Amino acid sequence: MVSVKERIIEVILFLCSLLTVLITLGIIVILASETFNFFSKVSIIEFFTETEWTPLFANKKFGILPLVCGTLLVTVIAILVALPLGLTIAVYLNEYANQKFTAVVKPLLEILAAIPTVVYGFFALTFVTPLLQRVLPNLSGFNALSAGLVMGVMIIPYISSLSEDALRAVPKSLREAAYGMGSTRLQTAFKVMVPAASSGIIVSVILAISRAIGETMIVAIAAGQEPKLTLNPLTSLETITTYIVQVSMGDVPRNSIEYSTIFSAGITLFIFTFLLNNISFVIKRKYHQKYE
Amino acid sequence: MQKLEARNVNLFYGEKQALKDISLGIDPNTVTAFIGPSGCGKSTFLRCFNRMNDLIDNVRITGDILIDGRNIYKSKINVDEHRKKIGMVFQKPNPFPKTIYENVAFGLRIKGVKDKSVLDETVERSLRQAALWDEVKDDLKKSALSLSGGQQQRLCIARTMAVEPSVILMDEPASALDPLSTAKIEELIYELKSKYTIVIVTHNMQQAARVSDKTAFFYLGELIEYNTTTTIFTNPKKEQTHNYITGRFG
Ligand SMILES: Nc1ncnc2c1ncn2[C@@H]1O[C@H](COP(=O)(O)OP(=O)(O)O)[C@@H](O)[C@H]1O
Ligand SMILES: [Mg+2]
């Protein structure tokens, strides 16, 4: 006999999980229906091939490419900062530092990801940009470079902590094999440990990319609000998230075409992160099979 | 001169003493077996010879370990270079998650050898020595993890021999293997004796009797008796040795 109390707890737990599923479904339904609305007014071909994004202007153009390009440019800069630094930190903590040091430094690093992003945004705008302008005189006040660099610092712990976890999960016997063969620490780290942990490291990078793509405040504050199809990191541009903020904060009427652009931009973002999530899921599953 | 020599070796894991005043010498081109109940310090002692205990925090060693007359704890030796000359085969097969070829070539690669023909030759020679060549020669590009446990262990032996060490330390190399694979490894040890000095830790008394020239019996961190294998198994001098080999404890 299951007691009444147990039964009630079970029902509550079930309702909680049901609620999260329903909320997720709700978001997807609204995203999808509003996007459907949008594409009944704008051709999907224009959406993917047009090179300008000007829904708020008189001459409206609906090409998502500039926003996608802006998002990817900032993300690439951020990863170029975070991957080498994060991986180096992970290898250092795992192979060189003693355990006590690692136990202290890892949580400290994780604070980087806990700082409110608005702080990073203003740091980029009021400190990093002026600093960079001394070396790069034609750097504009709002630019992808300082937003990307600062975002890179923010996502370091995603890579350093998760990669360190992955390195730590490599069977001890492989490390012993490497040292037993006479490898130096550097060789052990980069010829054995990193390759053996590669799936976990890739998953950490994917998570960091997802985080960078979805990041809003830093880019909204420091990168500007000018959708541009450019790969030049020195000028201002706009990312998908920044655009969504910009429109949500303005006063566009509901059910207008401007309003539904939020959702078309939103679903583009959603598709990106959804794909990344799935890739990391597949990699994780393969990885677990390998070591069983 | 003796190939390996330990003089009054004590080893502490933190406060805990794992080896107590151990002295013994090992002649070149012999097979020496370390036997004794689990936890008596066989692995710990074996790992003193290639300084693998350095990888563990809080280990303290006193006494001297000499290899070819050279003190490996006192003189300023390069530990990585030293380990290249002292091969080690572990209890659980531990091939790298790389191809069969890359596993065997690993030792040369970390020495910076790039010449493809040298690598190819070494891989073939080592796999032949480890009696694995015929089984894998068509699958060199396959993952080492696809091999059976016994094959993986012979691959690890091949990987060790590829850099031509003069000593091979084996820590219960056959304990995780089936009888057929075990027989192959034992046969291999017997053949390798002409080229290498081999020290093997084993739980298996028959195995020690079959493959070794000399046997050392350890108990609770002490070396109780060290003699020719025949003497240890037919005419042990110490009561404890006698009890152990007749299966009264351990
Ligand atoms: N890394 C370690 N830290 C602390 N104690 C250890 C460690 N490795 C082994 N020991 C202890 O040292 C003793 C000898 O262990 P070991 O050499 O592994 O014995 P054997 O190989 O004969 O089974 C055991 O009591 C074991 O608990
Ligand atoms: Mg042992």
Side-chain angles (χ1 to χ4, degrees):
Chain A
M1 268 303 283
V2 184
S3 76
V4 180
K5 204 171 135 204
E6 290 253 342
R7 189 82 198 127
I8 293 174
I9 292 175
E10 197 184 318
V11 170
I12 292 175
L13 291 178
F14 173 75
L15 288 178
C16 288
S17 41
L18 190 67
L19 188 67
T20 50
V21 173
L22 286 181
I23 291 173
T24 313
L25 278 180
I27 292 174
I28 293 176
V29 167
I30 291 176
L31 261 182
S33 68
E34 292 285 349
T35 307
F36 188 77
N37 244 340
F38 175 80
F39 282 119
S40 65
K41 293 173 207 146
V42 175
S43 103
I44 195 156
I45 299 182
E46 178 186 350
F47 188 67
F48 285 117
T49 55
E50 172 60 52
T51 55
E52 283 181 65
W53 177 259
T54 55
L56 305 179
F57 294 174
N59 176 18
K60 297 189 190 318
K61 299 233 172 105
F62 299 97
I64 195 73
L65 286 180
L67 294 185
V68 170
C69 177
T71 304
L72 293 183
L73 181 60
V74 177
T75 302
V76 166
I77 295 170
I79 294 299
L80 286 180
V81 173
L83 180 58
L85 280 174
L87 193 58
T88 309
I89 293 171
V91 166
Y92 177 78
L93 291 181
N94 186 265
E95 207 57 51
Y96 290 81
N98 67 31
Q99 286 173 3
K100 274 184 210 144
F101 182 81
T102 305
V104 174
V105 167
K106 229 171 134 188
L108 281 182
L109 269 173
E110 281 163 19
I111 292 178
L112 280 180
I115 296 173
T117 51
V118 63
V119 175
Y120 278 113
F122 279 102
F123 179 67
L125 181 68
T126 61
F127 181 74
V128 178
T129 298
L131 199 70
L132 288 174
Q133 274 169 334
R134 288 200 209 158
V135 217
L136 303 163
N138 54 355
L139 183 71
S140 66
F142 294 106
N143 62 80
L145 184 61
S146 55
L149 293 178
V150 169
M151 192 192 286
V153 172
M154 179 192 79
I155 62 177
I156 283 174
Y158 288 85
I159 295 180
S160 65
S161 274
L162 293 174
S163 297
E164 207 274 328
D165 291 345
L167 288 168
R168 188 187 299 251
V170 173
K172 203 174 120 239
S173 59
L174 285 188
R175 257 183 103 223
E176 292 194 323
Y179 281 115
M181 292 292 299
S183 312
T184 62
R185 278 185 178 188
L186 202 63
Q187 288 169 332
T188 304
F190 285 100
K191 291 202 192 276
V192 175
M193 301 298 282
V194 170
S198 59
S199 3
I201 292 171
I202 292 170
V203 167
S204 83
V205 174
I206 291 176
L207 187 76
I209 294 175
S210 299
R211 184 70 189 78
I213 287 180
E215 169 48 32
T216 311
M217 282 317 276
I218 298 177
V219 277
I221 294 170
Q225 304 191 339
E226 284 179 79
K228 261 186 230 155
L229 190 57
T230 173
L231 289 178
N232 178 1
L234 303 182
T235 70
S236 75
L237 46 69
E238 184 161 46
T239 67
I240 299 176
T241 51
T242 308
Y243 175 76
I244 295 174
V245 174
Q246 184 191 357
V247 176
S248 318
M249 308 246 282
D251 46 5
V252 295
R254 249 191 107 101
N255 296 326
S256 64
I257 181 80
E258 290 89 340
Y259 179 75
S260 43
T261 54
I262 302 180
F263 295 93
S264 64
I267 203 145
T268 311
L269 194 62
F270 177 76
I271 289 170
F272 267 112
T273 41
F274 182 76
L275 285 179
L276 288 171
N277 255 325
N278 278 301
I279 296 171
S280 77
F281 181 76
V282 170
I283 294 174
K284 263 189 208 159
R285 211 178 40 193
K286 267 176 101 174
Y287 165 75
H288 282 300
Q289 280 167 352
K290 199 167 84 186
Y291 277 115
E292 258 157 30
Chain B
M1 185 168 49
Q2 285 180 315
K3 186 77 197 171
L4 305 173
E5 196 181 348
R7 287 186 196 149
N8 309 102
V9 171
N10 290 283
L11 184 143
F12 302 82
Y13 288 116
E15 293 297 300
K16 187 172 175 276
Q17 185 163 11
L19 297 177
K20 294 170 191 158
D21 198 36
I22 296 183
S23 300
L24 101 183
I26 291 172
D27 291 324
N29 299 92
T30 57
V31 177
T32 305
F34 290 174
I35 61 169
S38 180
C40 66
K42 306 179 295 291
S43 301
T44 302
F45 186 50
L46 191 72
R47 294 157 73 97
C48 289
F49 291 105
N50 61 346
R51 294 192 54 168
M52 281 300 270
N53 292 321
D54 291 16
L55 299 182
I56 302 166
D57 290 338
N58 290 324
V59 171
R60 195 161 57 80
I61 300 176
T62 65
D64 300 317
I65 302 263
L66 289 81
I67 304 221
D68 294 322
R70 192 144 170 258
N71 190 325
I72 61 164
Y73 281 90
K74 295 270 165 60
S75 55
K76 276 205 157 65
I77 68 152
N78 178 331
V79 179
D80 312 317
E81 291 306 315
H82 170 66
R83 291 203 188 110
K84 290 191 175 90
K85 293 179 215 127
I86 313 287
M88 183 156 210
V89 177
F90 298 81
Q91 185 164 0
K92 207 174 135 252
N94 55 359
F96 299 122
K98 300 175 189 282
T99 61
I100 293 170
Y101 183 96
E102 284 305 324
N103 263 279
V104 184
F106 183 85
L108 290 183
R109 290 224 190 269
I110 61 171
K111 278 184 171 175
V113 176
K114 295 214 172 66
D115 188 336
K116 179 107 174 46
S117 61
V118 174
L119 290 169
D120 285 351
E121 262 168 46
T122 310
V123 168
E124 177 169 350
R125 173 182 52 77
S126 312
L127 285 170
R128 279 191 193 281
Q129 279 186 322
L132 191 59
W133 175 252
D134 291 331
E135 290 160 61
V136 302
K137 63 171 184 270
D138 300 321
D139 300 324
L140 295 178
K141 295 277 171 277
K142 272 203 193 158
S143 166
L145 302 180
S146 67
L147 297 174
S148 74
Q151 290 173 322
Q152 287 189 9
Q153 194 63 305
R154 276 179 285 146
L155 179 67
C156 292
I157 295 175
R159 176 177 69 186
T160 301
M161 290 187 306
V163 287
E164 306 194 305
S166 56
V167 178
I168 300 182
L169 308 172
M170 299 184 169
D171 193 349
E172 304 195 38
S175 70
L177 306 182
D178 59 275
L180 207 70
S181 306
T182 304
K184 282 197 179 148
I185 302 261
E186 286 181 14
E187 210 175 301
L188 193 58
I189 292 170
Y190 196 78
E191 284 168 17
L192 295 179
K193 195 162 80 168
S194 58
K195 282 192 76 177
Y196 305 95
T197 304
I198 296 175
V199 186
I200 176 172
V201 170
T202 176
H203 242 101
N204 180 328
M205 233 63 66
Q206 287 82 24
Q207 185 169 67
R210 278 193 299 264
V211 302
S212 68
D213 303 302
K214 285 185 133 190
T215 296
F217 171 63
F218 292 84
Y219 186 59
L220 296 178
E222 286 179 72
L223 174 59
I224 305 295
E225 190 167 352
Y226 176 47
N227 215 322
T228 62
T229 299
T230 327
T231 313
I232 293 280
F233 282 96
T234 56
N235 189 18
K237 304 282 181 279
K238 298 266 172 63
E239 172 94 33
Q240 281 160 308
T241 316
H242 177 76
N243 289 345
Y244 183 71
I245 58 162
T246 53
R248 262 182 235 159
F249 71 94

